[in-house]
């Protein structure tokens, strides 16, 4: 059955996710602060609202896909004395936040939502822009079982795997564990390819050998950091689109903050954070995170 859905945040991930809800027959009202992001979706036939407040009018479900904690908190709870979006959301509505943010922020917004009779779950995703376009994302949900079951029909239109991680915030914790591992393995994969290339190996041949060997991983399967190995990977498109270095840096910051809080030992996560920070400062913050291989390669003469 058709639902009225507000979708806020139409970037590399949110754009294709909103389009999949639209294609599934839902009545989507989309909004982003960036006009180009709105225009792109409008060209695909999705209705664009004049503001976030306008988008949530009459919405039964609200999906958000924003960069970081501060964007989610400011949007829902308000900032600079301005009221947040929660005040405009109908009682009984469901909010699905798929941004990767601090678990504590998800819990804070969920509590405020509950006080207004609004359900709020964290449902961060994995699978990259390819997964967002294909509708095959993995969702990691934090919330009650009843809330997850409410969200499931919508999540199924955007993803292929839906996991219940635990109470609100638990989806975020699962996500930062995953992304800490992803950050580490992208650096490791880049080092290995750069080493082989420095020895004169063909990056395609070496990547295929490692993919089928004990070093095989997601980067070697789908997201090779070396240009030209995977035609559709950001590396083959000048590191445009994809998952930004600064977003990976944010996630590695979240995992290190969390490790500090629970006194966990995450030495490689810490090292990966430092490497992405240096890469960002060198001017690569807006490029896809697989561009970290540039730090590890001999410069072309
Ligand atoms: P992005 O930067 O491409 O898009 C974010 C969008 O949010 C931008 O278009 C921006 O204009 C918009 N925005 C920011 N504040 C807003 C506001 N107040 N109201 C309306 N729009 C606002 O980022 P992305 O790659 O789509 O990632 C979004 C989230 O998903 C991040 O938390 C990221 O860590 C996570 N994520 C990304 C990927 C990926 O592969 N790109 C994969 C999994 C998870």
């Amino acid at each position: 059955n058709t639902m009225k859905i507000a979708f806020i945040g139409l970037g590399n991930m949110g754009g294709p996710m909103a389009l999949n809800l639209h294609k599934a027959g839902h009545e989507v009202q989309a909004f982003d602060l960036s006009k180009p992001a709105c225009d792109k979706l409008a060209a695909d036939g999705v209705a664009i609202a004049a503001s976030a407040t306008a988008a949530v009018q009459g919405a039964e479900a609200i999906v958000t896909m924003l960069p970081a904690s501060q964007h989610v908190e400011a949007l829902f709870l308000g900032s600079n004395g301005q009221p947040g979006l929660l005040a405009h959301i109908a009682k009984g509505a469901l909010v699905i936040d798929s941004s990767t943010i601090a678990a504590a922020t998800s819990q804070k917004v969920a509590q405020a939502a509950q006080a207004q009779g609004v359900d709020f779950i964290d449902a961060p995703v994995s699978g990259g822009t390819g997964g967002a376009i294909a509708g095959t994302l993995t969702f990691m949900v934090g919330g009650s079982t009843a809330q997850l079951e409410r969200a499931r029909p919508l999540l199924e239109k955007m993803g292929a795997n839906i996991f219940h991680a635990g109470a609100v915030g638990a989806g975020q914790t699962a996500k930062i564990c995953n992304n800490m591992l992803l950050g580490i393995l992208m650096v490791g994969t880049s080092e290995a390819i750069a080493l082989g290339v420095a020895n004169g190996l063909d990056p395609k041949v070496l990547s295929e050998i490692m993919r089928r060997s004990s070093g095989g991983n997601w980067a070697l399967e789908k997201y090779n950091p070396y240009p030209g190995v995977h035609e559709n990977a950001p590396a083959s498109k000048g590191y445009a689109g994809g998952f930004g270095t600064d977003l990976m840096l944010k996630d590695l910051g979240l995992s290190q903050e969390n490790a500090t809080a629970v006194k966990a030992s995450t030495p490689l996560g810490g090292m990966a954070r430092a490497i992405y920070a240096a890469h960002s400062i060198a001017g690569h913050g807006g490029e896809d995170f697989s561009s970290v291989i540039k730090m590890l390669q001999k410069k072309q003469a």
Side-chain angles (χ1 to χ4, degrees):
N1 52 344
T2 306
M3 276 178 85
K4 279 192 89 169
I5 303 172
F7 202 114
I8 301 167
L10 310 172
N12 289 330
M13 295 296 286
M17 290 166 72
L19 185 56
N20 280 332
L21 290 174
H22 167 77
K23 283 181 181 163
H26 292 296
E27 214 179 298
V28 177
Q29 289 282 337
F31 178 72
D32 193 294
L33 292 174
S34 145
K35 188 167 183 314
C38 291
D39 289 349
K40 198 164 171 221
L41 218 57
D44 287 321
V46 179
I48 303 297
S51 66
T53 307
V56 303
Q57 288 311 314
E60 303 161 76
I62 296 95
V63 186
T64 43
M65 195 48 165
L66 303 173
S69 301
Q70 65 270 24
H71 306 96
V72 174
E73 184 167 341
L75 179 73
F76 286 109
L77 306 185
S79 63
N80 305 322
Q82 295 292 107
L85 201 58
L86 268 183
H88 302 279
I89 294 175
K91 215 178 161 76
L94 168 70
V95 177
I96 302 171
D97 178 39
S98 283
S99 327
T100 304
I101 64 172
T105 305
S106 300
Q107 288 155 353
K108 184 176 174 184
V109 178
Q111 209 166 32
Q114 198 179 22
Q116 305 226 162
V118 170
D119 275 332
F120 177 99
I121 62 170
D122 53 311
V125 302
S126 176
T129 48
I133 292 164
T136 57
L137 292 169
T138 294
F139 282 93
M140 318 171 196
V141 176
S144 70
T145 303
Q147 289 170 329
L148 167 55
E149 291 315 318
R150 264 193 94 182
R152 190 182 293 277
L154 298 183
L155 301 182
E156 280 173 342
K157 296 292 184 281
M158 302 182 280
N161 304 299
I162 299 161
F163 291 103
H164 192 187
V168 69
Q172 299 296 353
T173 305
K175 173 65 181 169
I176 59 163
C177 292
N178 179 77
N179 272 29
M180 182 178 78
L181 179 57
L182 173 62
I184 293 166
L185 73 80
M186 185 58 82
V187 173
T189 301
S190 297
E191 280 182 24
I193 295 173
L195 177 63
V197 169
N199 280 279
L201 294 190
D202 179 331
K204 267 194 183 169
V205 173
L206 173 61
S207 291
E208 187 61 9
I209 291 170
M210 296 194 294
R211 184 176 79 84
R212 305 273 195 129
S213 302
S214 42
N217 66 58
W218 183 80
L220 290 170
E221 291 282 346
K222 297 193 171 156
Y223 216 91
N224 199 292
Y226 201 94
V229 178
H230 292 155
E231 206 183 303
N232 289 317
S236 301
K237 300 172 182 170
Y239 299 101
F243 179 46
T245 293
D246 282 344
L247 291 177
M248 174 52 90
L249 182 56
K250 164 196 59 122
D251 292 358
L252 290 166
L254 290 172
S255 56
Q256 289 311 104
E257 280 168 25
N258 183 287
T260 304
V262 300
K263 295 193 166 74
S265 173
T266 53
L268 292 183
M271 198 170 289
R273 203 208 74 86
I275 291 169
Y276 283 103
H279 188 51
S280 174
I281 281 173
H284 305 285
E287 294 176 4
D288 180 74
F289 80 116
S290 65
S291 64
V292 75
I293 194 171
K294 291 179 183 176
M295 272 191 77
L296 307 160
Q297 268 174 326
K298 243 189 210 128
K299 299 280 167 288
Q300 250 73 36

